[in-house]
Amino acid sequence: MLDHRGNVFVLSAPSGAGKSTLARRLVRETPGLIFSTSFTTRAPRPGERQGQDYFFVDDPTFDRMVAEEGFVEWVRVYEHRYGTGRAWLEKTLASGVDVLLDIETTGALNIRRAIPDATMIFLLPPSAQELERRLRGRGSDGEEQIAGRLRHARHEMELFEAYDYLVVNDDLDLAFRKLQGVVLAVRAGRERMAGTAEGILGTFQK
Ligand code: 5GP
């Protein structure tokens, strides 16, 4: 179990559902919410920056971190590994800042075990047909890759019941408002606000 003051938000979605766009906007437009930068053994894509998009590390470094329990969770996706670093997350949450984890479903389920009160949000495409259209529109994948992504998307979608909030991305602005609405509502939760409310109560005369 991870001790924390800040809130943990997990955002998962099948590839092509619009997760990166929405996650970036959510962090940009929500003060006090920052991204957790994961570690990965995959190579940077053009434009990706070390320490910004990921901490890009080699296999021996990743192995060492696993051995030293340096990850809150980690997974293998195809031939690469991805992991949420423990040290930064603990430090950031202890300082009271909220953290957004953009991770796939297996990792998300493991976060649920490590941080039971994490808020889990699943972003859904409006339909398989629309997801396929978006994947084709990106123009970055061949037929085989698109078929693979659709199969994988189905597996991921089957896990929606493990999540607390389900947001359908049929309208980008509306999906954004729902996501931000979840973050703001969690922050206003009674347990989290009880201390503040007690403090305010204390300013009233008996
Ligand atoms: P990509 O290689 O496209 O950046 O990411 C592939 C998948 O790995 C995405 O679904 C992304 O959310 C997921 N991912 C990125 N970092 C982590 C992590 O630290 N843990 C887990 N479980 N998944 C991650």
Side-chain angles (χ1 to χ4, degrees):
M1 261 280 279
L2 206 92
D3 254 357
H4 58 287
R5 276 208 303 132
N7 298 298
V8 176
F9 296 93
V10 173
L11 183 64
S12 304
S15 168
K19 182 178 60 170
S20 312
T21 308
L22 281 163
R24 272 199 297 269
R25 181 166 167 201
L26 185 61
V27 167
R28 199 172 56 236
E29 297 187 24
T30 314
L33 178 69
I34 59 178
F35 255 127
S36 159
T37 304
S38 294
F39 290 77
T40 184
T41 57
R42 82 154 165 77
R45 299 189 184 118
E48 284 186 335
R49 284 190 307 168
Q50 175 71 292
Q52 190 81 36
D53 300 277
Y54 284 103
F55 294 108
F56 297 98
V57 295
D58 56 14
D59 275 304
T61 305
F62 203 97
D63 287 339
R64 202 177 53 241
M65 287 186 68
V66 171
E68 292 169 354
E69 299 193 355
F71 292 117
V72 182
E73 63 78 34
W74 69 271
V75 291
R76 182 180 291 282
V77 181
Y78 304 113
E79 69 269 39
H80 299 299
R81 288 180 290 172
Y82 298 82
T84 303
R86 184 183 296 279
W88 178 88
L89 188 63
E90 281 183 348
K91 192 169 64 138
T92 306
L93 291 173
S95 74
V97 171
D98 293 349
V99 173
L100 179 66
L101 306 179
D102 167 351
I103 61 178
E104 50 68 65
T105 44
T106 309
L109 298 184
N110 290 332
I111 286 288
R112 178 63 106 195
R113 242 162 275 145
I115 311 170
D117 67 353
T119 302
M120 316 253 297
I121 311 169
F122 196 85
L123 186 68
L124 298 97
S127 66
Q129 291 72 24
E130 177 59 20
L131 186 66
E132 183 171 351
R133 203 185 61 76
R134 290 181 192 173
L135 286 172
R136 285 188 196 288
R138 297 208 296 208
S140 54
D141 296 328
E143 279 308 307
E144 215 171 290
Q145 259 183 315
I146 288 177
R149 284 192 195 276
L150 286 171
R151 269 197 308 276
H152 187 59
R154 197 205 143 93
H155 287 306
E156 295 206 294
M157 299 272 305
E158 283 170 353
L159 295 172
F160 74 84
E161 290 196 59
Y163 287 74
D164 303 306
Y165 294 93
L166 307 176
V167 175
V168 178
N169 186 13
D170 42 8
D171 174 302
L172 201 64
D173 272 326
L174 187 58
F176 170 76
R177 279 161 48 209
K178 287 180 182 170
L179 277 181
Q180 198 179 41
V182 169
V183 172
L184 299 182
V186 166
R187 286 180 175 173
R190 186 181 57 222
E191 247 176 74
R192 185 185 161 105
M193 288 302 293
T196 306
E198 288 291 350
I200 294 171
L201 185 59
T203 65
F204 285 79
Q205 284 188 342
K206 285 231 169 90

